[in-house]
Amino acid sequence: MRIPRHIGLIPDGNRRWAQDNGLNKQDGYYYGLNPGLAALKLAQEYGIDEITYYGFTTDNCKRPKVQIESFVKACVDAINIIAKENVSLLVIGNTKSSVFPKELLKYTTRTNIGNGGTKVNFLVNYGWDWDISKINVNSSDRRTIMDCLHSRDISRIDLILRWGGRKRLSGFLPVQSVYSDIYTIDDMWPDFTPEQFHKAMKWYNAQDVTLGG
Amino acid sequence: MRIPRHIGLIPDGNRRWAQDNGLNKQDGYYYGLNPGLAALKLAQEYGIDEITYYGFTTDNCKRPKVQIESFVKACVDAINIIAKENVSLLVIGNTKSSVFPKELLKYTTRTNIGNGGTKVNFLVNYGWDWDISKINVNSSDRRTIMDCLHSRDISRIDLILRWGGRKRLSGFLPVQSVYSDIYTIDDMWPDFTPEQFHKAMKWYNAQDVTLGG
């Protein structure tokens, strides 16, 4: 079976799930924590090298304050859970803003946890515009372009899994995702099941990867 | 009905269609010409302001020579067909390469044809890396970032329609597509039907557009 080397996860649908379950919108993010760990464990079982989670973006900070506080806390909690595993952890995002959680600053250079292992990247206060704002190359040298990105330590993504039914990237690593295969799960992120992940892997195995050729 | 202001078309599947119909791979592109005009007419009926076609890319030029000659000719023919309509036509791509058809140079600044009208953009020898190679802004000023792109005269895309069943962007205008809704048609591009277009419009109407908020 052809396994993606690097997968991106867009864990969307937390607010809709909360409403569907009689909760306030901001209460949904908490129920996304267990799925985050479950996804990491599955990725490790498959032998996936690298996994990038879409935490929150500068655009998400247009949401009401009570939601911002909730998803920021959920990101911190999720990363603390992941930081108990054997991973190589990296947090990427605009640290200059007050919304960036200071307790995550220590992970903004790649850090081996335990024995190290799977590369886990988490986007926290990320912005596609912030990411690509300093590219100045004389030719279409892709390696040099990658080196100009704020997200330069995150490699090209083979497969993106998006929960919550939307079929869009929402600004997720536009350079690393140029040739990513995009698989959408209609269920909301807190309704994560291993079966969704297995189906995504089977689907990816059936895709051809031509990179334009 | 909520209509997308700007749609992108990725007309994929020409080579697979050719093989399925007992032809050589390079013979499929010719059968994509009528669909190109049909899509434009439908877009005009819906009142869509702008439409961008993914012609060919620098990555496509890794294909065998006989295929390159075929898709380059098909792009020239497609643009000549479109240039008989009342449109505002723009061709964007790396003109410095010998593969760029010289007969299309005259369209590399936006040109009103007839009475002008729908903005039609065609990507010819386009490369996502070439497009973003000169961005140097001091802040995440999105307007300034857009002005740095080679594709600066192409606006943000609301909806991307991709024929040929693949669920990926393949380097298609990474900045303009950050929030695009992506609709995949499983049929190959030469098997274009108006019904596929109508279904895409209905699907788009059912999406929410949150832009991260």
Side-chain angles (χ1 to χ4, degrees), chain B residues 63-183:
Chain B
R63 297 179 185 180
K65 187 163 180 280
V66 67
Q67 290 181 25
I68 297 172
E69 288 170 351
S70 274
F71 66 59
V72 172
K73 179 184 191 309
C75 278
V76 173
D77 291 346
I79 290 166
N80 284 335
I81 288 171
I82 284 166
K84 296 191 172 73
E85 303 294 316
N86 292 309
V87 295
S88 172
L89 180 58
L90 177 66
V91 169
I92 291 280
N94 188 345
T95 59
K96 293 195 163 77
S97 160
S98 60
V99 76
F100 189 94
K102 300 209 172 354
E103 56 266 66
L104 297 183
L105 281 171
K106 61 186 184 249
Y107 297 124
T108 55
T109 48
R110 196 176 282 290
T111 305
N112 275 340
I113 314 275
N115 303 326
T118 310
K119 283 185 175 168
V120 178
N121 312 310
F122 220 100
L123 303 185
V124 175
N125 200 40
Y126 174 85
W128 64 266
D129 44 354
W130 163 83
D131 195 9
I132 68 170
S133 55
K134 289 267 184 271
I135 301 174
N136 197 355
V137 301
N138 279 329
S139 64
S140 302
D141 178 347
R142 292 177 177 185
R143 187 62 254 169
T144 312
I145 287 175
M146 291 289 294
D147 287 343
C148 294
L149 305 177
H150 274 105
S151 64
R152 70 182 69 88
D153 292 324
I154 298 181
S155 68
R156 199 171 62 76
I157 297 170
D158 301 295
L159 170 66
I160 295 167
L161 284 71
R162 179 169 184 143
W163 275 259
R166 301 301 178 211
K167 291 178 164 59
R168 52 191 183 229
L169 291 179
S170 300
F172 182 70
L173 295 165
V175 172
Q176 289 88 338
S177 67
V178 288
Y179 276 109
S180 306
D181 281 297
I182 306 164
Y183 184 86

Side-chain angles (χ1 to χ4, degrees), chain B residues 23-39:
Chain B
L23 303 171
N24 293 318
K25 282 186 183 179
Q26 65 270 16
D27 297 328
Y29 300 112
Y30 168 78
Y31 293 89
L33 296 178
N34 287 341
L37 182 61

